[in-house]
Amino acid sequence: MGTPPKHRKRKERKERAFSLIELLVALTLLCLLTTLGMPSLGGMLEQRRLDAARDQLATSIRLAREEAISRNQAVVMAPRNGLWSEGWHVFVDSNQNAQLDAGDTLLQEDVAAKVAAIRATGELARYLRYNPMGESERVDGGFLAGTLRLCPASPSQPGRRLIINRVGR
């Protein structure tokens, strides 16, 4: 018959656990680092939202200008419910009243990115209109220029501006 199996000696492991004091110190350090890092993370996220909203607004402005030139008709970009912060419509303004009516062709409808507010100066608070030459103008044919301001939630953070000049840029 065979030889009896050899019994192997098991190595005894010394298990080590964290003490309550060590866990409390680690938890305190984690809370401290999180508290210090959160404001900068929040500010960075707010700046990214502002950049995204500015790019979204600028893209719609370019679309309105390009469509006015290519269609050889006035194209209007107007805020939804009178507030740029709620979004905007881009449409062919067939009756020249700078309002989206049943007979107008809707080209784009967009919802604004999450920013505290989008404010406009002068006539831009109601609409931005491009003539067939790609120039920004009022409904009565007068000069239209102004600034769209994108405001952050925190007043300590810098906002963004889009300035519309006579040639529509």
Side-chain angles (χ1 to χ4, degrees):
M1 295 219 152
T3 59
K6 294 182 182 176
H7 291 274
R8 295 183 188 161
K9 283 189 177 179
R10 288 188 182 183
K11 293 183 183 178
E12 289 185 32
R13 290 187 195 173
K14 203 174 195 184
E15 292 189 27
R16 179 153 167 21
F18 292 108
S19 71
L20 183 59
I21 303 254
E22 290 171 329
L23 286 174
L24 288 175
V25 168
L27 187 60
T28 303
L29 286 173
L30 180 65
C31 288
L32 181 64
L33 291 174
T34 303
T35 304
L36 292 175
M38 287 307 276
S40 63
L41 178 64
M44 184 179 72
L45 289 174
E46 180 70 26
Q47 292 303 307
R48 296 293 167 244
R49 271 191 218 107
L50 286 168
D51 289 340
R54 179 201 56 213
D55 294 344
Q56 180 183 11
L57 196 55
T59 299
S60 293
I61 291 170
R62 279 191 295 278
L63 171 75
R65 185 170 186 264
E66 290 168 5
E67 286 293 325
I69 294 168
S70 67
R71 291 173 181 265
N72 200 30
Q73 290 181 294
V75 173
V76 172
M77 184 172 155
R80 291 176 60 180
N81 303 321
L83 299 170
W84 287 103
S85 301
E86 290 188 16
W88 49 86
H89 303 283
V90 178
F91 56 94
V92 176
D93 190 21
S94 53
N95 61 0
Q96 307 295 319
N97 68 352
Q99 295 177 0
L100 181 60
D101 299 318
D104 295 334
T105 305
L106 181 64
L107 301 173
Q108 181 189 44
E109 182 172 283
D110 212 339
V111 176
K114 300 268 184 199
V115 294
I118 301 174
R119 296 193 175 102
T121 59
E123 209 62 26
L124 280 180
R126 292 188 19 231
Y127 65 89
L128 171 58
R129 181 177 185 268
Y130 285 103
N131 66 20
M133 294 174 52
E135 299 171 332
S136 57
E137 70 178 9
R138 295 183 352 193
V139 174
D140 63 8
F143 174 69
L144 176 64
T147 303
L148 290 161
R149 285 192 214 112
L150 292 92
C151 306
S154 170
S156 64
Q157 297 286 328
R160 303 289 185 272
R161 290 186 300 178
L162 287 170
I163 301 169
I164 308 297
N165 64 15
R166 171 67 177 151
V167 293
R169 295 178 181 239

